[in-house]
Amino acid sequence: DTGVSQDPRHKITKRGQNVTFRCDPISEHNRLYWYRQTLGQGPEFLTYFQNEAQLEKSRLLSDRFSAERPKGSFSTLEIQRTEQGDSAMYLCAGQTGTSEQFFGPGTRLTVL
Amino acid sequence: AQSVTQPDIHITVSEGASLELRCNYSYGATPYLFWYVQSPGQGLQLLLKYFSGDTLVQGIKGFEAEFKRSQSSFNLRKPSVHWSDAAEYFCAVGALSGGGADGLTFGKGTHLIIQP
């Protein structure tokens, strides 16, 4: 158990709808990362936070993607106007200092 | 830009046989290297990491990996595989902080199949 939880585990939505995913790391994880993993590929880095500050967001896939970590604890990733190409596993990882990243179980998104 | 190559998409090994999974990386600075394992429908579990020091690192579940700077490689090994080792294995490279502004860069993974 990495201590990182994600909710929901699965999400099915229709094209054009907005979706929001939540990640809860442990309190010691001052850094939080979001990745996307498509079928047959390794995870792809999207964005990361140092406490509540979002220090890198240029790798978000489009302006339909946004992320927040309002109090430096949990984080949310939102996708607006979903497209079928957004179907993937979305992974969150927490990190303490310069340790390794600990991944949550992921949220699998299916866009119909 | 950094990259990770895992040349073997699938590997089949008999139970009890030895295993080596290959990983080559391209990174502009001192690489920090990781191997993660992912079982179906699960998140990623860290097997081992290399930050500095001894180039042969030991991990969980009997795995080890050797960092070879001259070959830009970080191959994963296990002397005797078990059926429970069947999974997807990912090699990753990151910055000094173990992530930072670039996150981790992952390879495409190697799917390990264990034959009885």
Side-chain angles (χ1 to χ4, degrees):
Chain A
D1 183 6
T2 63
V4 179
S5 61
Q6 292 188 244
D7 184 70
R9 295 290 306 275
H10 302 273
K11 177 71 177 178
I12 300 174
T13 191
K14 294 182 178 179
R15 189 175 54 187
Q17 297 295 304
N18 299 344
V19 294
T20 300
F21 311 139
R22 178 178 170 124
C23 172
D24 284 88
I26 63 174
S27 58
E28 290 83 359
H29 288 161
N30 57 320
R31 291 186 174 188
L32 187 147
Y33 297 80
W34 284 98
Y35 292 83
R36 183 182 76 157
Q37 185 178 20
T38 54
L39 202 60
Q41 302 294 317
E44 174 188 13
F45 170 66
L46 296 179
T47 187
Y48 97 109
F49 294 85
Q50 175 95 16
N51 300 313
E52 67 274 11
Q54 189 174 13
L55 298 185
E56 174 57 56
K57 55 183 179 181
S58 67
R59 306 275 286 275
L60 287 167
L61 300 164
S62 78
D63 58 9
R64 297 185 295 106
F65 288 71
S66 63
E68 293 183 341
R69 195 182 186 196
K71 297 182 180 179
S73 56
F74 74 92
S75 176
T76 58
L77 177 70
E78 181 181 16
I79 308 174
Q80 295 183 331
R81 305 181 304 281
T82 52
E83 301 173 357
Q84 287 187 324
D86 297 331
S87 295
M89 177 78 88
Y90 291 85
L91 295 165
C92 167
Q95 184 183 30
T96 302
T98 60
S99 72
E100 64 268 27
Q101 295 181 25
F102 295 92
F103 283 82
T107 294
R108 180 166 295 284
L109 172 66
T110 301
V111 182
L112 301 176
Chain B
Q2 56 263 37
S3 65
V4 175
T5 301
Q6 294 181 246
D8 303 305
I9 298 174
H10 301 277
I11 282 189
T12 301
V13 178
S14 297
E15 190 169 16
S18 63
L19 170 71
E20 182 170 27
L21 302 183
R22 296 182 290 164
C23 171
N24 292 95
Y25 67 89
S26 173
Y27 198 72
T30 302
Y32 291 83
L33 295 154
F34 307 84
W35 275 98
Y36 284 88
V37 62
Q38 187 176 38
S39 297
Q42 302 297 311
L44 296 160
Q45 180 183 23
L46 181 71
L47 287 176
L48 46 78
K49 63 189 179 189
Y50 172 76
F51 278 9
S52 64
D54 192 346
T55 57
L56 184 64
V57 293
Q58 302 297 319
I60 63 170
K61 303 184 180 185
F63 286 93
E64 67 178 25
E66 186 171 12
F67 171 58
K68 293 185 177 180
R69 184 185 299 274
S70 62
Q71 298 177 20
S72 298
S73 69
F74 189 57
N75 294 348
L76 181 72
R77 301 194 294 248
K78 186 171 184 177
S80 176
V81 298
H82 185 262
W83 65 267
S84 60
D85 293 324
E88 194 81 18
Y89 290 80
F90 293 96
C91 180
V93 66
L96 172 64
S97 61
D102 292 328
L104 294 178
T105 298
F106 285 83
K108 293 186 176 183
T110 297
H111 185 61
L112 177 62
I113 299 167
I114 306 296
Q115 280 185 335

